[in-house]
Short mmCIF file of all heavy atoms in Angstrom, two decimals:
data_model
loop_
_atom_site.label_atom_id
_atom_site.label_comp_id
_atom_site.label_asym_id
_atom_site.label_seq_id
_atom_site.Cartn_x
_atom_site.Cartn_y
_atom_site.Cartn_z
N TYR R 87 47.01 -15.51 -55.24
CA TYR R 87 46.15 -16.55 -54.69
C TYR R 87 44.72 -16.42 -55.21
O TYR R 87 44.01 -17.41 -55.35
CB TYR R 87 46.15 -16.48 -53.17
CG TYR R 87 47.38 -17.07 -52.54
CD1 TYR R 87 48.41 -16.26 -52.11
CD2 TYR R 87 47.51 -18.44 -52.39
CE1 TYR R 87 49.55 -16.80 -51.54
CE2 TYR R 87 48.63 -19.00 -51.81
CZ TYR R 87 49.66 -18.18 -51.38
OH TYR R 87 50.78 -18.72 -50.83
N ALA R 88 44.29 -15.22 -55.47
CA ALA R 88 42.91 -15.00 -55.92
C ALA R 88 42.77 -15.04 -57.43
O ALA R 88 41.65 -15.10 -57.94
CB ALA R 88 42.40 -13.65 -55.39
N ALA R 89 43.87 -15.03 -58.17
CA ALA R 89 43.80 -14.87 -59.62
C ALA R 89 43.07 -16.02 -60.29
O ALA R 89 42.23 -15.81 -61.17
CB ALA R 89 45.21 -14.73 -60.20
N VAL R 90 43.38 -17.28 -59.90
CA VAL R 90 42.80 -18.42 -60.59
C VAL R 90 41.29 -18.49 -60.46
O VAL R 90 40.58 -18.55 -61.45
CB VAL R 90 43.47 -19.73 -60.10
CG1 VAL R 90 42.76 -20.94 -60.70
CG2 VAL R 90 44.95 -19.73 -60.46
N PRO R 91 40.72 -18.46 -59.23
CA PRO R 91 39.26 -18.52 -59.15
C PRO R 91 38.57 -17.31 -59.76
O PRO R 91 37.54 -17.43 -60.39
CB PRO R 91 38.99 -18.62 -57.65
CG PRO R 91 40.22 -18.15 -56.98
CD PRO R 91 41.35 -18.51 -57.89
N LEU R 92 39.17 -16.10 -59.59
CA LEU R 92 38.55 -14.91 -60.16
C LEU R 92 38.56 -14.95 -61.68
O LEU R 92 37.59 -14.59 -62.34
CB LEU R 92 39.27 -13.66 -59.65
CG LEU R 92 39.05 -13.33 -58.17
CD1 LEU R 92 39.88 -12.11 -57.78
CD2 LEU R 92 37.59 -13.10 -57.86
N TYR R 93 39.69 -15.38 -62.26
CA TYR R 93 39.78 -15.46 -63.71
C TYR R 93 38.80 -16.50 -64.25
O TYR R 93 38.16 -16.29 -65.28
CB TYR R 93 41.20 -15.81 -64.14
CG TYR R 93 41.39 -15.90 -65.63
CD1 TYR R 93 41.43 -14.75 -66.41
CD2 TYR R 93 41.51 -17.14 -66.26
CE1 TYR R 93 41.59 -14.84 -67.78
CE2 TYR R 93 41.67 -17.24 -67.62
CZ TYR R 93 41.71 -16.08 -68.38
OH TYR R 93 41.87 -16.17 -69.73
N SER R 94 38.67 -17.63 -63.55
CA SER R 94 37.75 -18.67 -63.99
C SER R 94 36.31 -18.16 -63.98
O SER R 94 35.55 -18.41 -64.91
CB SER R 94 37.88 -19.90 -63.07
OG SER R 94 39.18 -20.42 -63.14
N ILE R 95 35.95 -17.45 -62.91
CA ILE R 95 34.59 -16.90 -62.82
C ILE R 95 34.34 -15.91 -63.95
O ILE R 95 33.29 -15.92 -64.59
CB ILE R 95 34.38 -16.25 -61.45
CG1 ILE R 95 34.35 -17.33 -60.36
CG2 ILE R 95 33.08 -15.45 -61.42
CD1 ILE R 95 34.36 -16.76 -58.95
N PHE R 96 35.32 -15.04 -64.20
CA PHE R 96 35.16 -14.05 -65.27
C PHE R 96 34.99 -14.74 -66.62
O PHE R 96 34.13 -14.37 -67.42
CB PHE R 96 36.38 -13.13 -65.29
CG PHE R 96 36.42 -12.19 -66.47
CD1 PHE R 96 35.63 -11.06 -66.50
CD2 PHE R 96 37.25 -12.45 -67.54
CE1 PHE R 96 35.66 -10.20 -67.58
CE2 PHE R 96 37.29 -11.59 -68.63
CZ PHE R 96 36.49 -10.47 -68.65
N CYS R 97 35.83 -15.75 -66.89
CA CYS R 97 35.76 -16.44 -68.17
C CYS R 97 34.44 -17.18 -68.34
O CYS R 97 33.86 -17.19 -69.41
CB CYS R 97 36.93 -17.41 -68.30
SG CYS R 97 38.54 -16.59 -68.46
N GLN R 98 33.96 -17.78 -67.24
CA GLN R 98 32.71 -18.51 -67.32
C GLN R 98 31.54 -17.57 -67.61
O GLN R 98 30.61 -17.91 -68.32
CB GLN R 98 32.44 -19.26 -66.01
CG GLN R 98 33.42 -20.39 -65.73
CD GLN R 98 33.36 -21.46 -66.79
OE1 GLN R 98 32.31 -21.70 -67.37
NE2 GLN R 98 34.48 -22.09 -67.05
N ALA R 99 31.59 -16.38 -67.05
CA ALA R 99 30.48 -15.44 -67.21
C ALA R 99 30.44 -14.83 -68.60
O ALA R 99 29.37 -14.57 -69.14
CB ALA R 99 30.58 -14.34 -66.16
N TYR R 100 31.63 -14.58 -69.20
CA TYR R 100 31.68 -13.84 -70.46
C TYR R 100 32.26 -14.64 -71.61
O TYR R 100 32.47 -14.09 -72.69
CB TYR R 100 32.50 -12.56 -70.27
CG TYR R 100 31.88 -11.63 -69.26
CD1 TYR R 100 32.37 -11.56 -67.96
CD2 TYR R 100 30.78 -10.84 -69.60
CE1 TYR R 100 31.80 -10.71 -67.03
CE2 TYR R 100 30.20 -9.99 -68.67
CZ TYR R 100 30.72 -9.93 -67.39
OH TYR R 100 30.16 -9.09 -66.46
N SER R 101 32.51 -15.95 -71.42
CA SER R 101 33.08 -16.80 -72.46
C SER R 101 34.34 -16.18 -73.03
O SER R 101 34.58 -16.17 -74.23
CB SER R 101 32.06 -17.01 -73.59
OG SER R 101 30.91 -17.66 -73.09
N TYR R 102 35.18 -15.64 -72.15
CA TYR R 102 36.40 -14.96 -72.58
C TYR R 102 37.53 -15.96 -72.70
O TYR R 102 37.63 -16.92 -71.95
CB TYR R 102 36.78 -13.89 -71.57
CG TYR R 102 38.06 -13.16 -71.90
CD1 TYR R 102 38.07 -12.19 -72.89
CD2 TYR R 102 39.23 -13.47 -71.24
CE1 TYR R 102 39.23 -11.52 -73.20
CE2 TYR R 102 40.40 -12.81 -71.55
CZ TYR R 102 40.40 -11.83 -72.53
OH TYR R 102 41.57 -11.18 -72.83
N GLY R 103 38.41 -15.74 -73.66
CA GLY R 103 39.60 -16.56 -73.81
C GLY R 103 39.28 -17.99 -74.19
O GLY R 103 40.02 -18.91 -73.86
N GLY R 104 38.19 -18.21 -74.93
CA GLY R 104 37.86 -19.55 -75.38
C GLY R 104 37.15 -20.39 -74.35
O GLY R 104 36.94 -21.58 -74.55
N THR R 105 36.77 -19.82 -73.22
CA THR R 105 36.05 -20.59 -72.21
C THR R 105 34.60 -20.71 -72.63
O THR R 105 33.98 -19.75 -73.06
CB THR R 105 36.14 -19.89 -70.85
OG1 THR R 105 37.51 -19.68 -70.55
CG2 THR R 105 35.50 -20.73 -69.77
N THR R 106 34.05 -21.88 -72.47
CA THR R 106 32.70 -22.12 -72.96
C THR R 106 31.67 -21.54 -72.01
O THR R 106 31.92 -21.32 -70.84
CB THR R 106 32.44 -23.64 -73.09
OG1 THR R 106 32.48 -24.21 -71.80
CG2 THR R 106 33.49 -24.29 -73.97
N SER R 107 30.46 -21.34 -72.56
CA SER R 107 29.36 -20.87 -71.74
C SER R 107 28.89 -22.00 -70.85
O SER R 107 28.75 -23.14 -71.28
CB SER R 107 28.21 -20.39 -72.63
OG SER R 107 28.63 -19.31 -73.43
N GLN R 108 28.59 -21.68 -69.57
CA GLN R 108 28.19 -22.72 -68.63
C GLN R 108 26.70 -22.95 -68.60
O GLN R 108 26.25 -24.07 -68.50
CB GLN R 108 28.67 -22.36 -67.22
CG GLN R 108 30.10 -22.75 -66.96
CD GLN R 108 30.37 -22.77 -65.48
OE1 GLN R 108 30.10 -21.79 -64.80
NE2 GLN R 108 30.88 -23.84 -64.98
N GLY R 109 25.96 -21.86 -68.59
CA GLY R 109 24.53 -22.03 -68.47
C GLY R 109 23.90 -22.43 -69.80
O GLY R 109 24.47 -22.25 -70.86
N HIS R 110 22.69 -22.97 -69.78
CA HIS R 110 21.97 -23.26 -71.01
C HIS R 110 20.48 -23.12 -70.73
O HIS R 110 20.01 -23.42 -69.64
CB HIS R 110 22.30 -24.65 -71.53
CG HIS R 110 21.82 -25.76 -70.65
ND1 HIS R 110 22.53 -26.19 -69.55
CD2 HIS R 110 20.69 -26.53 -70.70
CE1 HIS R 110 21.87 -27.18 -68.96
NE2 HIS R 110 20.76 -27.39 -69.62
N ASP R 111 19.78 -22.66 -71.73
CA ASP R 111 18.34 -22.48 -71.63
C ASP R 111 17.68 -23.80 -72.03
O ASP R 111 17.76 -24.23 -73.18
CB ASP R 111 17.91 -21.34 -72.56
CG ASP R 111 16.46 -20.95 -72.34
OD1 ASP R 111 15.68 -21.81 -71.89
OD2 ASP R 111 16.12 -19.79 -72.64
N ALA R 112 17.02 -24.46 -71.05
CA ALA R 112 16.41 -25.77 -71.33
C ALA R 112 15.38 -25.68 -72.44
O ALA R 112 15.29 -26.56 -73.30
CB ALA R 112 15.78 -26.31 -70.05
N GLU R 113 14.60 -24.60 -72.44
CA GLU R 113 13.59 -24.44 -73.48
C GLU R 113 14.24 -24.25 -74.84
O GLU R 113 13.76 -24.78 -75.85
CB GLU R 113 12.69 -23.25 -73.15
CG GLU R 113 11.53 -23.08 -74.12
CD GLU R 113 10.61 -21.95 -73.71
OE1 GLU R 113 10.79 -21.39 -72.61
OE2 GLU R 113 9.71 -21.62 -74.50
N LYS R 114 15.35 -23.51 -74.87
CA LYS R 114 16.05 -23.30 -76.13
C LYS R 114 16.60 -24.62 -76.66
O LYS R 114 16.54 -24.89 -77.87
CB LYS R 114 17.19 -22.30 -75.92
CG LYS R 114 17.98 -22.01 -77.20
CD LYS R 114 19.04 -20.97 -76.95
CE LYS R 114 19.79 -20.65 -78.23
NZ LYS R 114 20.82 -19.60 -78.04
N VAL R 115 17.16 -25.43 -75.77
CA VAL R 115 17.69 -26.73 -76.19
C VAL R 115 16.59 -27.61 -76.77
O VAL R 115 16.79 -28.32 -77.76
CB VAL R 115 18.38 -27.43 -75.00
CG1 VAL R 115 18.81 -28.84 -75.38
CG2 VAL R 115 19.59 -26.63 -74.53
N GLU R 116 15.43 -27.55 -76.16
CA GLU R 116 14.31 -28.39 -76.61
C GLU R 116 13.78 -27.97 -77.97
O GLU R 116 13.37 -28.82 -78.76
CB GLU R 116 13.19 -28.33 -75.56
CG GLU R 116 12.01 -29.25 -75.87
CD GLU R 116 10.94 -29.18 -74.80
OE1 GLU R 116 11.19 -28.55 -73.75
OE2 GLU R 116 9.85 -29.77 -75.00
N HIS R 117 13.83 -26.66 -78.25
CA HIS R 117 13.21 -26.17 -79.49
C HIS R 117 14.22 -25.66 -80.53
O HIS R 117 13.81 -25.18 -81.58
CB HIS R 117 12.23 -25.03 -79.17
CG HIS R 117 11.07 -25.47 -78.32
ND1 HIS R 117 11.07 -25.39 -76.95
CD2 HIS R 117 9.86 -26.01 -78.67
CE1 HIS R 117 9.91 -25.83 -76.48
NE2 HIS R 117 9.16 -26.21 -77.50
#
Side-chain angles (χ1 to χ4, degrees):
Y87 282 100
V90 174
L92 290 177
Y93 180 75
S94 298
I95 291 171
F96 172 78
C97 292
Q98 293 298 329
Y100 298 101
S101 299
Y102 178 77
T105 305
T106 66
S107 298
Q108 276 198 307
H110 67 277
D111 189 334
E113 185 176 352
K114 181 177 181 178
V115 174
E116 184 179 352
H117 296 92

